[in-house]
Amino acid sequence: MFTKNLVVAAPVQFGRAALVASGGHVSAVIVNSGNANCATGTAGHRACKAVCIDTARLLKTKPSQVFPSSTGIIGVPLPTEKISSHLSPLISRAEASVEKLRAFADAILTTDKLPKIASIPMQSGKAAITGVAKGSGMIHPQLATMLVYLLTDVAATPGELRSVLRKTCDNSFNVISVDGDTSTNDTVLLLASGESKISLRKIRTEFEAGLHSVCCSLAEQIIADGEGVQHLVRLEIKEARNRTEALQIARTIAHSLLVKTAWAGADPNWGRILAAIGRSGVALDPKKVSLVIGNQTVCRGSVACRFDEQRAHKELSQPESRVRVRLGRGNYSLEFLTTDLTSEYVRINADYST
Amino acid sequence: MFTKNLVVAAPVQFGRAALVASGGHVSAVIVNSGNANCATGTAGHRACKAVCIDTARLLKTKPSQVFPSSTGIIGVPLPTEKISSHLSPLISRAEASVEKLRAFADAILTTDKLPKIASIPMQSGKAAITGVAKGSGMIHPQLATMLVYLLTDVAATPGELRSVLRKTCDNSFNVISVDGDTSTNDTVLLLASGESKISLRKIRTEFEAGLHSVCCSLAEQIIADGEGVQHLVRLEIKEARNRTEALQIARTIAHSLLVKTAWAGADPNWGRILAAIGRSGVALDPKKVSLVIGNQTVCRGSVACRFDEQRAHKELSQPESRVRVRLGRGNYSLEFLTTDLTSEYVRINADYST
C-alpha cells in the first residue's frame, strides 16, 4: 500500500514497479532516513536504482526483489555513496535477532522520539506477525502510512497478502492523523517468508485478527509519538450514514487548528468542534448533532448543555481522552485517533531544512 | 453575504430573516463582541430578538429593520441585560462622525489587535464608500467573512447592492485564510443611505472599483492582524484550468500545517508546498508543476532547481512575501492571501474559553 499523494517519491515509484516485475516477491528492504529522494527528477531515480543494484549484488538476488524506502527532506539529491559504502559491513553483520530488528527500527526514525515495534504470535507460537514503523510528522495517511514493514513466517501468495493488508489498513493507518499532511513517501509493506510452513488460507481469521492488532498498535505508537503531541484524542463518530461521511467529519475536526489548539490547552471549547462539523461539507442537520466529552454531554441538538467544565478540563488533560460526536443520520460508527497541536510542533517544523 | 457553515449563529438566522421581511431595508446595526450567540437554542433566538426590539423601540423603527451581529465564544448564553442597559446612553451619544466610526470599529474587536477601516471617495468626494471590519481567528471565509460593514451614501436598490457585493466578495474576502476554520457568524453587510442623491446605476463602474478596493483593503487588514501572524504570504496560483481548482490548491497550501510552520521560520522548504499540491485532490500532472519563491525558481517540473537558499530565506523573512505556483494546465490565475502559523497562535487559542 502506497501514498495517495500525486507527488510520489522515487523509491515509491521504483518499489511499486519492482513489485510488479517480481510478481510481489521481495528478498530485501533497504531504507534510509534523512532524505526522502522526492522531487529529485531522473537523478533521483538513478540514485535509487544504484542503491538497489548494489544491495542485490551483495545479497545475490535480483534488483527487482530489493524494495527501497526513503524518508526525510524533499528536493535534496540522495547521497548514494553514504549508503552504498555501508552496505557491505551492514550485510556481513546481518542476523534474524530481536536486537537487529530493534536496530532497524531505530535506524529508520527521523523526528520520531521512540522506535515503533509490535508483534503477535499465532498458532500457539508456531508462527507470528511482527511490524516495524516510523512516522511522527506529515501523518495523514490515505490508504497507507509513513514506512511500515510487516513481517510474517506464514506462507501466502502476494494476492492473499494484498487483500488482507488493504482491509487492515482501512481500520488502522487510515483512521489516524497528526497534521493532515499526506506524505509523498508513505509505504506499508507486508512480507511473508513461509518458513513456518503454516498456510495463511488455513488460519485466515486468526491471521487477520493478528495483523489488525499489530497495525493498530503501530498506528497508535505513531500518533503517540506525533511531533510535539501532548494529548491524544480518540474521536468517535457515531450515527453516520456511511464510512465516507464519518471519515470526512472526523478529518475536518482532526485538522481544525482551533480544535487542535483548544485540545493543547485541555480547553473544553466544544463550539469549535461543532463549527468544524458545520463546515465539513456533509449536508447534515445541525439540530441532530450532539457532542460528548469524556462521559458528559456538552451539547445536544447543537444547543449547549449544562456540564461540569472542570471535569471536562480534567478529562482533556489526560494523556488520552475521548470525544464522541452523534450525527443522528444512520448506524455507521468510526473511531479516529488524533492529537492536539502544540507550540512544540511549530518549533520542530519552523526550522527543519535550514 | 453570510457564512456557508451549516451551524449558523442566532443573529445570522435572525438578521437573514429580517432582511427578507424588510425587503433589504436596514435602519440600524447592533453588534456585540465576546459572545457569538451560537449553539444557544431557542433561548439564544429570544435573546437576539429582545435586543433588536429594544433597539428598534429607542430608534423608533421596526425590529425587522435592525440587523444584529455577535462575535465571540460559541455555546454561552447571551447576557442581554448587559447590552440592553447600555442602549439608551449609546443612542443618545450617537452622531455621524469619524470618531464614532472609530469607536464602533474598536468596540467590535475580539482577539484583533487593530481596528480595521477603509474608505474611498467617489464622484470627486460627492459620495463615498466606507467599510469597517473585525476578524483575526476562525478566518476562512466561504462567501463572506467575520463581520464587515460597508456603508455608502449612494442611492441603490437592495438587488443592485446584492449583485455588486457578491462579485466583490469573491475576489476579496473569499481569497484569504488564517486558519481554515469557517466561522458560524460570518457576515458582510453593504448598506446604502442614498443621501448623496447619486444613483449607483449611473456610476456603476466607479462604484464597483471603489467597493473592490475597500473590501481588498479590509481583507488585507484582517490577514495582517491574524492571530499570532508574523509573515503574510501572497500565493499566486498560475496556469490553472479554472477558479475552482485554483482555489482548491491555494486552500490546501494555505491550510497545510507543515507549510505554515515552515513559513513561521522563513524556511524555504518548498517540498512541503509540492506535497500539499500533490494531495489537493486536483488531478494534475506533477511534471508540469513549478514553484517560485520571491523571484527564484526553486522547483521546475516537480524537480529541485539550484537556488540561493539564503536569498529565499531573506525573502520569506519579510513581513510579506510572494510564492508562485505554476500548474501548466490552463490560463486561470488567482491571488490568495494567507499567513504563517506561529507558537503565538497556539498560545492564543489553547486557552480561550477557560
Side-chain angles (χ1 to χ4, degrees):
Chain A
M1 310 287 283
F2 300 104
T3 180
K4 287 257 167 165
N5 200 313
L6 292 179
V7 176
V8 174
V12 173
Q13 291 178 351
F14 190 92
R16 196 182 264 158
L19 283 179
V20 172
S22 71
H25 292 280
V26 175
S27 306
V29 168
I30 173 88
V31 187
N32 76 275
S33 132
N35 186 310
N37 196 8
C38 178
T40 42
T42 48
H45 277 265
R46 270 200 306 272
C48 180
K49 197 175 169 183
V51 169
C52 289
I53 288 173
D54 282 355
T55 311
R57 191 171 33 80
L58 288 165
L59 288 172
K60 299 185 174 54
T61 182
K62 291 181 198 158
S64 67
Q65 295 200 15
V66 175
F67 188 93
S69 293
S70 297
T71 172
I73 190 162
I74 296 173
V76 173
L78 186 74
T80 47
E81 67 295 347
K82 271 200 187 175
I83 300 170
S84 294
S85 63
H86 284 81
L87 281 177
S88 184
L90 196 69
I91 289 168
S92 68
R93 288 196 309 266
E95 59 176 39
S97 68
V98 173
E99 287 65 39
K100 293 292 178 185
L101 192 79
R102 284 211 184 118
F104 172 71
D106 276 328
I108 63 176
L109 305 181
T110 52
T111 53
D112 309 54
K113 280 181 292 193
L114 292 170
K116 292 158 189 75
I117 303 177
S119 191
I120 199 161
M122 281 177 303
Q123 297 283 297
S124 314
K126 288 195 207 89
I129 305 172
T130 297
V132 179
K134 68 101 13 201
S136 184
M138 226 184 226
I139 297 294
H140 173 49
Q142 293 189 324
L143 284 197
T145 192
M146 199 81 180
L147 307 197
V148 178
Y149 306 95
L150 301 160
L151 313 168
T152 180
D153 53 0
V154 159
T157 67
E160 287 169 346
L161 294 173
R162 205 177 302 124
S163 98
V164 175
L165 184 59
R166 177 158 303 147
K167 205 167 131 188
T168 307
C169 279
D170 270 355
N171 297 309
S172 55
F173 303 115
N174 286 341
V175 286
I176 61 172
S177 177
V178 170
D179 48 18
D181 280 283
T182 303
S183 161
T184 50
N185 293 47
D186 283 348
T187 296
V188 181
L189 215 56
L190 171 58
L191 302 173
S193 70
E195 263 189 29
S196 69
K197 316 266 190 231
I198 297 171
S199 139
L200 191 152
R201 267 189 304 278
K202 288 199 184 140
I203 57 160
R204 186 157 184 136
T205 310
E206 189 187 357
F207 187 86
E208 282 184 359
L211 189 67
H212 178 77
S213 135
V214 166
C215 288
C216 284
S217 167
L218 291 174
E220 293 191 13
Q221 290 178 56
I222 288 172
I223 288 295
D225 195 18
E227 287 172 350
V229 167
Q230 281 172 342
H231 302 106
L232 261 65
V233 178
R234 211 170 276 277
L235 257 181
E236 291 174 16
I237 312 294
K238 299 267 183 191
E239 302 171 3
R241 276 208 193 136
N242 51 46
R243 182 179 168 85
T244 309
E245 68 175 41
L247 208 49
Q248 198 171 332
I249 288 168
R251 286 182 172 155
T252 310
I253 298 170
H255 302 160
S256 160
L257 291 192
L258 288 169
V259 170
K260 287 175 104 68
T261 49
W263 286 341
D267 184 347
N269 193 341
W270 55 267
R272 294 179 178 177
I273 302 175
L274 189 64
I277 295 168
R279 70 172 167 85
S280 67
V282 174
L284 48 82
D285 178 0
K287 287 203 189 71
K288 294 188 177 163
V289 175
S290 296
L291 297 176
V292 182
I293 297 178
N295 55 8
Q296 293 189 88
T297 302
V298 294
C299 146
R300 185 175 286 122
S302 280
V303 177
C305 296
R306 255 182 229 157
F307 69 99
D308 182 341
E309 285 200 19
Q310 271 313 309
R311 219 171 89 206
H313 173 69
K314 218 170 154 187
E315 165 76 21
L316 292 170
S317 304
Q318 306 297 316
E320 182 178 321
S321 55
R322 200 168 280 273
V323 171
R324 198 179 309 134
V325 178
R326 289 194 186 285
L327 299 169
R329 288 167 60 78
N331 294 315
Y332 193 87
S333 291
L334 182 87
E335 202 179 275
F336 195 96
L337 196 61
T338 186
T339 67
D340 58 354
L341 174 69
T342 66
S343 298
E344 184 61 12
Y345 179 96
V346 177
R347 200 196 54 74
I348 294 169
N349 285 299
D351 198 26
Y352 183 77
S353 83
T354 49
Chain B
M1 310 287 282
F2 301 104
T3 179
K4 286 256 167 165
N5 200 312
L6 292 179
V7 176
V8 174
V12 173
Q13 292 178 350
F14 190 92
R16 197 182 262 159
L19 283 178
V20 173
S22 70
H25 293 280
V26 175
S27 306
V29 168
I30 174 86
V31 187
N32 75 275
S33 131
N35 185 312
N37 196 8
C38 179
T40 42
T42 47
H45 277 263
R46 271 200 306 273
C48 180
K49 197 176 169 184
V51 169
C52 289
I53 288 174
D54 283 354
T55 312
R57 189 171 34 81
L58 289 165
L59 289 171
K60 299 184 175 56
T61 181
K62 290 182 199 158
S64 67
Q65 296 200 15
V66 176
F67 187 92
S69 293
S70 298
T71 172
I73 190 163
I74 295 173
V76 174
L78 186 74
T80 47
E81 67 295 345
K82 271 201 185 172
I83 301 169
S84 294
S85 63
H86 285 82
L87 280 176
S88 182
L90 196 69
I91 289 168
S92 67
R93 289 196 309 267
E95 57 176 43
S97 69
V98 173
E99 286 66 37
K100 293 293 177 185
L101 192 79
R102 284 210 183 120
F104 172 72
D106 276 328
I108 64 176
L109 305 181
T110 53
T111 52
D112 309 55
K113 280 181 290 194
L114 292 170
K116 292 158 189 74
I117 303 177
S119 191
I120 200 162
M122 281 177 305
Q123 297 283 301
S124 314
K126 287 194 208 90
I129 304 173
T130 298
V132 178
K134 71 98 16 198
S136 184
M138 227 185 225
I139 298 292
H140 172 50
Q142 293 189 323
L143 286 197
T145 192
M146 200 79 182
L147 307 196
V148 178
Y149 306 95
L150 301 159
L151 313 168
T152 181
D153 52 1
V154 158
T157 65
E160 288 168 346
L161 295 174
R162 206 177 301 126
S163 98
V164 175
L165 184 60
R166 175 156 306 148
K167 204 167 134 188
T168 308
C169 277
D170 269 355
N171 297 310
S172 53
F173 303 113
N174 286 341
V175 286
I176 62 172
S177 178
V178 170
D179 49 17
D181 278 284
T182 303
S183 161
T184 50
N185 293 46
D186 283 349
T187 296
V188 181
L189 215 56
L190 170 58
L191 303 172
S193 69
E195 262 188 30
S196 70
K197 315 263 189 235
I198 297 171
S199 140
L200 190 152
R201 267 189 305 276
K202 288 198 182 139
I203 58 160
R204 184 156 183 136
T205 310
E206 189 187 358
F207 187 87
E208 282 184 358
L211 189 66
H212 178 77
S213 135
V214 167
C215 287
C216 283
S217 166
L218 291 175
E220 292 192 13
Q221 291 178 55
I222 288 172
I223 288 296
D225 195 19
E227 288 173 349
V229 166
Q230 282 173 340
H231 303 106
L232 260 64
V233 177
R234 210 170 277 276
L235 257 181
E236 291 174 18
I237 311 295
K238 300 265 184 194
E239 302 171 2
R241 275 207 193 136
N242 51 47
R243 180 178 169 84
T244 309
E245 68 175 42
L247 208 49
Q248 197 170 332
I249 288 168
R251 286 182 172 155
T252 309
I253 298 170
H255 302 161
S256 159
L257 291 191
L258 288 169
V259 171
K260 289 175 102 70
T261 49
W263 286 341
D267 182 348
N269 193 341
W270 55 267
R272 295 181 177 176
I273 302 176
L274 188 64
I277 296 168
R279 70 171 168 89
S280 68
V282 174
L284 48 81
D285 178 1
K287 288 204 188 72
K288 293 188 176 163
V289 176
S290 295
L291 297 175
V292 182
I293 296 178
N295 55 8
Q296 291 190 90
T297 300
V298 294
C299 146
R300 184 176 287 120
S302 280
V303 178
C305 297
R306 255 183 228 158
F307 68 100
D308 182 340
E309 286 200 19
Q310 272 313 309
R311 217 171 90 207
H313 173 68
K314 217 170 157 186
E315 163 76 21
L316 292 171
S317 304
Q318 308 296 316
E320 183 178 320
S321 56
R322 200 168 280 272
V323 172
R324 197 179 311 133
V325 178
R326 289 194 186 284
L327 298 170
R329 288 168 60 78
N331 295 314
Y332 192 88
S333 290
L334 181 87
E335 203 181 273
F336 195 95
L337 196 61
T338 186
T339 67
D340 58 355
L341 174 69
T342 67
S343 298
E344 183 63 9
Y345 179 95
V346 178
R347 201 196 54 73
I348 294 168
N349 285 298
D351 197 25
Y352 183 77
S353 83
T354 49

